[in-house]
Amino acid sequence: MSTRRDDVMATLRDWSKPGRRADLVAAAWQAGETNVSALAEAARTSRPTVYADLRSRGIDPDHRPKGTSVITNLSPLDIEGFTGVGERLDAEFDAALRRWAAEHPTATQEDGQAEGMRLAGLMDTTYRYADVRDLLAHEQVARAERDRLLHQVELRWEVLGTAAAWLAAHHAYVVAVDEARIAIDMWREHAEAALKRPFFCSSPRDEAAYRQIQEAGHPALEQALADLDRTPARTAEQLRANLDQAHERRLQLAAETLRAAQPASR
């Protein structure tokens, strides 16, 4: 299924009207494509031109847009004593049922059974929520680190143009490329793990438990789940390909620079 990001990137690749490129570059950036190399490839232009286009539309390329589905609340869960930790489930359930029984000494057996069913739903929903929330948080952290390090590659390369200690600056660039490769792979692993853990409410009891979790101050998960990249392996492969292609070309340019800097043979 096509996303807004896919649509604007396709439009950017097809731009032709003079003066439209900067608008389309800005639209792609705002839709979530913050990889400058990918923007340059789509627009059939250079990275410095992409930077200039973004700044001409009031966008600072050094500050990436934040998503609207960031999982920021990672405080421990405590929903009527349920923490979502797997090894504590049985003990927490027994403790919750004992508390309820102590508070309702005149309750009937039917009342106890109904409360047991409610607590079982709350326990299960809290456990599944904690699992999915943590996976989403790890994916978002890994995605932000991936994008930060890819951007760092561009910054390190730009520095080479004016670096006094050129070899040291070039080494920093090479290290940045290696770190970006690792970050891409780490993000893919976290994204694939998050995709394997869907979160859903299959009954009114589950929905009531989910509302209770949110009312306790914990974030909803729907938007973060919808924002997940559905093809992380393909995206990672494309990011690595873009990075490696640019790196190979840059190594060729660096080699030419080094040859020019060497003294002529006598």
Side-chain angles (χ1 to χ4, degrees):
M1 183 175 66
S2 178
T3 65
R4 179 169 176 261
R5 173 175 164 177
D6 294 332
D7 292 341
V8 295
M9 286 296 283
T11 302
L12 178 57
R13 288 186 177 94
D14 294 335
W15 73 272
S16 58
K17 182 179 178 182
R20 278 277 290 155
R21 187 193 61 232
D23 291 336
L24 294 171
V25 167
W29 179 276
Q30 291 164 345
E33 181 52 79
T34 58
N35 184 294
V36 173
S37 293
L39 291 169
E41 180 275 328
R44 299 188 296 280
T45 189
S46 65
R47 286 180 300 278
T49 300
V50 169
Y51 282 115
D53 284 345
L54 290 170
R55 291 189 173 99
S56 75
R57 295 302 182 266
I59 295 173
D60 184 351
D62 294 333
H63 292 84
R64 306 301 166 103
K66 295 181 179 179
T68 58
S69 62
V70 176
I71 302 296
T72 57
N73 189 345
L74 290 182
S75 58
L77 291 166
D78 186 355
I79 312 299
E80 295 189 35
F82 293 111
T83 62
V85 179
E87 56 267 27
R88 301 179 187 172
L89 294 180
D90 291 341
E92 290 173 349
F93 178 81
D94 291 342
L97 198 55
R98 285 196 301 270
R99 283 195 303 271
W100 181 87
E103 294 168 359
H104 301 82
T106 61
T108 65
Q109 183 177 1
E110 289 76 11
D111 292 337
Q113 290 174 343
E115 178 62 11
M117 293 293 290
R118 186 188 74 83
L119 289 173
L122 182 59
M123 175 187 67
D124 176 67
T125 302
T126 303
Y127 171 71
R128 291 188 297 108
Y129 174 90
D131 184 34
V132 173
R133 183 193 69 168
D134 290 349
L135 287 169
L136 289 170
H138 284 116
E139 186 276 336
Q140 290 184 354
V141 169
R143 191 194 327 163
E145 184 67 357
R146 176 203 74 185
D147 292 345
R148 185 187 72 80
L149 290 172
L150 284 170
H151 185 50
Q152 188 71 10
V153 170
E154 303 303 319
L155 295 178
R156 294 294 189 191
W157 177 251
E158 294 295 329
V159 165
L160 277 174
T162 56
W166 194 89
L167 285 176
H170 187 267
H171 177 68
Y173 159 73
V174 171
V175 170
V177 171
D178 186 60
E179 290 176 341
R181 289 186 181 125
I182 295 171
I184 290 170
D185 291 339
M186 291 185 65
W187 164 78
R188 176 184 55 77
E189 293 176 5
H190 286 298
E192 289 176 342
L195 283 173
K196 294 176 182 177
R197 294 285 194 277
F199 180 80
F200 57 89
C201 295
S202 59
S203 70
R205 186 166 51 243
D206 292 348
E207 292 174 358
Y210 185 36
R211 285 195 301 272
Q212 194 171 342
I213 291 170
Q214 294 177 72
E215 289 167 359
H218 301 281
L221 303 181
E222 289 83 356
Q223 189 58 54
L225 287 165
D227 287 347
L228 280 176
D229 189 323
R230 300 295 157 180
T231 57
R234 186 173 68 186
T235 299
E237 182 181 4
Q238 186 60 56
L239 289 171
R240 283 289 297 266
N242 291 342
L243 179 64
D244 291 343
Q245 182 180 32
H247 184 50
E248 182 178 354
R249 175 58 180 158
R250 288 166 174 175
L251 289 181
Q252 293 172 357
L253 295 173
E256 292 183 17
T257 299
L258 284 175
R259 282 197 297 271
Q262 292 172 353
S265 299
R266 295 181 179 178

